[in-house]
Amino acid sequence: HKYMLPLARVVFALLVGSGAAHVPPSPAELQYLAKLKREHAATHRRQLDTTDYTCGDGAQSAKDAWKVTGTSLGGWLVLEPWLTPSLFYQFLGADVRYGPDIEKIKTKTGMDQKSFCTALGPAEANRQLRHHWSQWVTEEHVAAIARTGSTHVRIPVGDWMWEPYDVYDQVEDGVRCNDGAVDELNRALALCAKHGLKVLLDMHAWIGSQNGLDNSGETKFVVWASKFDSGTSGEMYVPRTAPSHPLFLPSP
């Protein structure tokens, strides 16, 4: 590939320390790399100028150069241990504290949104979540994202925020686990609007778990098995572990 040889020389020169083995890129190689960079930028500009983003139904696309860039506020309203490990350190050693009863160990170990609420109970879980929400996303964070030139922010959300169910609907001392989450979302939306950022709301977690991973709100074993006629778009697959939700059931 035309990029590889000059790039390899440059990388080698950067990685190798001083001494006889040091081989700096030649002026000709540096000039060639600069030429490739200019060609790439020119190709990108041509793609932006010539690509038609007009919808087929007659709606017109924006006249400005089309670009979406930004980041995701992951680990905020939908917990994922790899993003917010500090919230889950407290569950280490549950096997020692609650063993050998495996069922009790499971109920006292948080590894996703649902088990976090289960293990701590609604009141304590809500207390910790409110602190987390207030610190994980602040106005300074949003302003810093805007200063990078970003245009959008993606915010993962869970369906339980609007219609609590199961453990999310349990009340302790007058509160539920995720009480206040919608208010926090509205706070973030207002901050993004203030700093000129658009928002993509991502329904990241769904009742019954759409994939069995922590980012669905519930870590579990999911078997995608049976087909059924959705009544609209042909056959769809239904997860055996969540057959009771209306969206997973065949149309009458």
Side-chain angles (χ1 to χ4, degrees), residues 157-164 182 185 201 203:
V157 296
D159 64 346
W160 55 76
M161 291 170 52
W162 288 272
E163 293 188 10
V182 174
L185 175 60
L201 288 181
M203 184 55 74

Side-chain angles (χ1 to χ4, degrees), residues 138-248:
T138 67
E139 181 166 8
E140 176 51 34
H141 295 144
V142 176
I145 293 171
R147 288 195 295 268
T148 68
S150 296
T151 62
H152 289 69
V153 168
R154 170 178 176 260
I155 302 181
V157 296
D159 64 346
W160 55 76
M161 291 170 52
W162 288 272
E163 293 188 10
Y165 53 86
D166 196 25
V167 66
Y168 306 126
D169 198 30
Q170 294 177 7
V171 178
E172 181 185 17
D173 297 335
V175 299
R176 294 174 298 191
C177 179
N178 291 286
D179 280 357
V182 174
D183 293 334
E184 285 294 313
L185 175 60
N186 289 333
R187 177 176 68 87
L189 293 176
L191 289 175
C192 288
K194 177 180 178 179
H195 292 278
L197 292 167
K198 296 180 180 178
V199 175
L200 169 64
L201 288 181
D202 165 30
M203 184 55 74
H204 210 62
W206 197 253
I207 187 171
S209 177
Q210 74 272 17
N211 58 15
L213 303 178
D214 55 7
N215 58 38
S216 72
E218 183 179 4
T219 307
K220 63 193 301 185
F221 181 68
V222 176
V223 179
W224 293 89
S226 58
K227 286 184 178 182
F228 66 92
D229 187 347
S230 68
T232 54
S233 58
E235 291 183 330
M236 296 176 64
Y237 284 93
V238 56
R240 284 180 175 170
T241 51
S244 59
H245 193 277
L247 286 182
F248 294 144

Side-chain angles (χ1 to χ4, degrees), residues 3-213:
Y3 290 92
M4 297 311 296
L5 181 58
L7 281 176
R9 289 288 300 276
V10 172
V11 172
F12 180 76
L14 292 174
L15 293 179
V16 176
S18 60
H22 180 66
V23 182
S26 68
E29 287 173 330
L30 291 175
Q31 186 177 16
Y32 182 62
L33 286 172
K35 175 176 176 289
L36 293 179
K37 184 177 179 180
R38 290 194 300 271
E39 290 177 351
H40 175 75
T43 299
H44 183 60
R45 283 195 300 271
R46 285 195 301 272
Q47 290 173 340
L48 289 176
D49 292 341
T50 60
T51 303
D52 182 12
Y53 291 105
T54 302
C55 300
D57 59 3
Q60 298 299 308
S61 60
K63 294 181 180 180
D64 296 332
W66 189 85
K67 181 183 74 169
V68 173
T69 181
T71 189
S72 176
L73 302 182
W76 186 41
L77 297 175
V78 177
L79 299 182
E80 298 181 43
W82 73 276
L83 285 169
T84 55
S86 60
L87 284 173
F88 292 87
Y89 290 151
Q90 61 189 307
F91 304 114
L92 294 176
D95 57 331
V96 175
R97 293 194 300 272
Y98 302 107
D101 186 340
I102 187 62
E103 292 303 318
K104 190 169 184 179
I105 294 172
K106 288 164 61 176
T107 60
K108 293 296 184 179
T109 303
M111 53 194 303
D112 47 48
Q113 191 89 19
K114 184 176 182 179
S115 58
F116 182 88
C117 294
T118 300
L120 296 177
E124 176 60 18
N126 187 252
R127 186 192 69 80
Q128 293 190 24
L129 285 175
R130 285 181 182 272
H131 177 74
H132 167 63
W133 294 334
S134 68
Q135 299 302 306
W136 194 252
V137 176
T138 67
E139 181 166 8
E140 176 51 34
H141 295 144
V142 176
I145 293 171
R147 288 195 295 268
T148 68
S150 296
T151 62
H152 289 69
V153 168
R154 170 178 176 260
I155 302 181
V157 296
D159 64 346
W160 55 76
M161 291 170 52
W162 288 272
E163 293 188 10
Y165 53 86
D166 196 25
V167 66
Y168 306 126
D169 198 30
Q170 294 177 7
V171 178
E172 181 185 17
D173 297 335
V175 299
R176 294 174 298 191
C177 179
N178 291 286
D179 280 357
V182 174
D183 293 334
E184 285 294 313
L185 175 60
N186 289 333
R187 177 176 68 87
L189 293 176
L191 289 175
C192 288
K194 177 180 178 179
H195 292 278
L197 292 167
K198 296 180 180 178
V199 175
L200 169 64
L201 288 181
D202 165 30
M203 184 55 74
H204 210 62
W206 197 253
I207 187 171
S209 177
Q210 74 272 17
N211 58 15
L213 303 178

